[in-house]
Short mmCIF file of all heavy atoms in Angstrom, two decimals:
data_model
loop_
_atom_site.label_atom_id
_atom_site.label_comp_id
_atom_site.label_asym_id
_atom_site.label_seq_id
_atom_site.Cartn_x
_atom_site.Cartn_y
_atom_site.Cartn_z
N ALA A 110 5.00 -13.66 11.10
CA ALA A 110 4.12 -13.07 12.05
C ALA A 110 3.13 -12.03 11.52
O ALA A 110 1.92 -12.07 11.68
CB ALA A 110 4.97 -12.40 13.20
N ILE A 111 3.68 -11.02 10.74
CA ILE A 111 2.77 -10.00 10.22
C ILE A 111 1.83 -10.50 9.20
O ILE A 111 0.56 -10.22 9.34
CB ILE A 111 3.60 -8.84 9.57
CG1 ILE A 111 4.46 -8.17 10.65
CG2 ILE A 111 2.77 -7.80 8.89
CD1 ILE A 111 5.44 -7.10 10.07
N ASN A 112 2.29 -11.26 8.24
CA ASN A 112 1.38 -11.76 7.23
C ASN A 112 0.24 -12.54 7.77
O ASN A 112 -0.93 -12.40 7.44
CB ASN A 112 2.24 -12.66 6.26
CG ASN A 112 1.46 -13.04 4.97
OD1 ASN A 112 0.72 -13.98 5.03
ND2 ASN A 112 1.60 -12.23 3.92
N LYS A 113 0.57 -13.44 8.73
CA LYS A 113 -0.52 -14.31 9.28
C LYS A 113 -1.46 -13.55 10.18
O LYS A 113 -2.62 -13.94 10.29
CB LYS A 113 0.17 -15.50 9.98
CG LYS A 113 1.02 -16.40 9.13
CD LYS A 113 0.34 -16.63 7.76
CE LYS A 113 1.34 -17.31 6.81
NZ LYS A 113 0.86 -17.31 5.39
N ALA A 114 -0.96 -12.46 10.90
CA ALA A 114 -1.82 -11.64 11.67
C ALA A 114 -2.85 -11.00 10.87
O ALA A 114 -4.05 -10.92 11.22
CB ALA A 114 -0.97 -10.63 12.43
N ILE A 115 -2.52 -10.46 9.62
CA ILE A 115 -3.45 -9.86 8.77
C ILE A 115 -4.38 -10.87 8.22
O ILE A 115 -5.71 -10.61 8.15
CB ILE A 115 -2.70 -9.14 7.58
CG1 ILE A 115 -1.81 -7.97 8.18
CG2 ILE A 115 -3.75 -8.56 6.65
CD1 ILE A 115 -0.88 -7.42 7.16
N VAL A 116 -3.94 -12.07 7.84
CA VAL A 116 -4.79 -13.11 7.38
C VAL A 116 -5.86 -13.47 8.48
O VAL A 116 -7.05 -13.67 8.20
CB VAL A 116 -4.03 -14.38 7.06
CG1 VAL A 116 -4.88 -15.60 6.83
CG2 VAL A 116 -3.22 -14.12 5.72
N GLY A 117 -5.41 -13.53 9.73
CA GLY A 117 -6.32 -13.84 10.83
C GLY A 117 -7.34 -12.76 11.01
O GLY A 117 -8.52 -13.03 11.32
N SER A 118 -6.93 -11.50 10.87
CA SER A 118 -7.87 -10.38 11.01
C SER A 118 -9.02 -10.39 9.95
O SER A 118 -10.18 -10.21 10.28
CB SER A 118 -7.19 -9.04 10.94
OG SER A 118 -6.32 -8.77 12.03
N ILE A 119 -8.59 -10.78 8.75
CA ILE A 119 -9.60 -10.86 7.71
C ILE A 119 -10.49 -12.05 7.92
O ILE A 119 -11.76 -11.95 7.72
CB ILE A 119 -8.85 -10.99 6.32
CG1 ILE A 119 -8.11 -9.66 6.00
CG2 ILE A 119 -9.80 -11.34 5.21
CD1 ILE A 119 -7.20 -9.70 4.76
N ALA A 120 -9.99 -13.12 8.44
CA ALA A 120 -10.78 -14.33 8.79
C ALA A 120 -11.84 -13.99 9.87
O ALA A 120 -13.07 -14.35 9.73
CB ALA A 120 -9.98 -15.48 9.18
N ARG A 121 -11.41 -13.24 10.87
CA ARG A 121 -12.36 -12.77 11.95
C ARG A 121 -13.39 -11.91 11.44
O ARG A 121 -14.52 -11.81 11.99
CB ARG A 121 -11.57 -12.16 13.07
CG ARG A 121 -10.79 -13.13 13.93
CD ARG A 121 -10.23 -12.55 15.20
NE ARG A 121 -9.20 -11.52 14.94
CZ ARG A 121 -7.91 -11.80 14.75
NH1 ARG A 121 -7.51 -13.03 14.72
NH2 ARG A 121 -7.10 -10.79 14.51
N ALA A 122 -13.14 -11.13 10.37
CA ALA A 122 -14.12 -10.21 9.80
C ALA A 122 -15.06 -10.95 8.76
O ALA A 122 -15.86 -10.34 8.15
CB ALA A 122 -13.43 -9.04 9.07
N GLY A 123 -14.84 -12.25 8.61
CA GLY A 123 -15.73 -13.04 7.73
C GLY A 123 -15.17 -13.27 6.36
O GLY A 123 -15.93 -13.86 5.50
N GLY A 124 -13.91 -12.97 6.07
CA GLY A 124 -13.38 -13.15 4.76
C GLY A 124 -12.40 -14.41 4.70
O GLY A 124 -12.09 -14.98 5.76
N LYS A 125 -12.08 -14.76 3.54
CA LYS A 125 -11.07 -15.87 3.30
C LYS A 125 -9.80 -15.24 2.72
O LYS A 125 -9.89 -14.79 1.61
CB LYS A 125 -11.60 -16.92 2.39
CG LYS A 125 -12.69 -17.75 2.97
CD LYS A 125 -13.15 -18.86 2.03
CE LYS A 125 -14.28 -19.74 2.66
NZ LYS A 125 -14.68 -20.78 1.70
N ALA A 126 -8.71 -15.27 3.50
CA ALA A 126 -7.50 -14.61 3.03
C ALA A 126 -6.42 -15.76 2.89
O ALA A 126 -6.45 -16.75 3.60
CB ALA A 126 -6.99 -13.51 3.93
N ILE A 127 -5.44 -15.55 1.96
CA ILE A 127 -4.37 -16.44 1.85
C ILE A 127 -3.06 -15.63 1.89
O ILE A 127 -2.93 -14.60 1.18
CB ILE A 127 -4.47 -17.29 0.54
CG1 ILE A 127 -3.28 -18.26 0.49
CG2 ILE A 127 -4.59 -16.42 -0.62
CD1 ILE A 127 -3.50 -19.29 -0.62
N GLY A 128 -2.14 -15.99 2.77
CA GLY A 128 -0.94 -15.26 2.90
C GLY A 128 0.22 -15.86 2.06
O GLY A 128 0.45 -17.08 2.04
N ILE A 129 0.81 -14.94 1.24
CA ILE A 129 1.92 -15.36 0.40
C ILE A 129 2.99 -14.33 0.38
O ILE A 129 2.81 -13.24 0.94
CB ILE A 129 1.40 -15.57 -1.13
CG1 ILE A 129 0.82 -14.19 -1.70
CG2 ILE A 129 0.35 -16.70 -1.14
CD1 ILE A 129 0.46 -14.32 -3.20
N SER A 130 4.10 -14.56 -0.27
CA SER A 130 5.12 -13.58 -0.52
C SER A 130 5.35 -13.53 -2.02
O SER A 130 4.81 -14.30 -2.74
CB SER A 130 6.36 -13.83 0.27
OG SER A 130 7.22 -14.83 -0.41
N GLY A 131 6.20 -12.57 -2.46
CA GLY A 131 6.53 -12.49 -3.83
C GLY A 131 7.22 -13.74 -4.36
O GLY A 131 7.38 -13.97 -5.61
N LYS A 132 7.75 -14.62 -3.40
CA LYS A 132 8.43 -15.80 -3.85
C LYS A 132 7.50 -16.91 -4.26
O LYS A 132 7.81 -17.83 -5.01
CB LYS A 132 9.31 -16.36 -2.64
CG LYS A 132 10.44 -15.41 -2.23
CD LYS A 132 11.04 -15.85 -0.98
CE LYS A 132 12.23 -16.79 -1.16
NZ LYS A 132 12.91 -17.04 0.13
#
Side-chain angles (χ1 to χ4, degrees):
I111 294 176
N112 190 274
K113 301 315 172 194
I115 298 169
V116 168
S118 292
I119 292 171
R121 286 191 294 276
K125 289 184 179 179
I127 181 167
I129 61 175
S130 79
K132 296 169 89 170

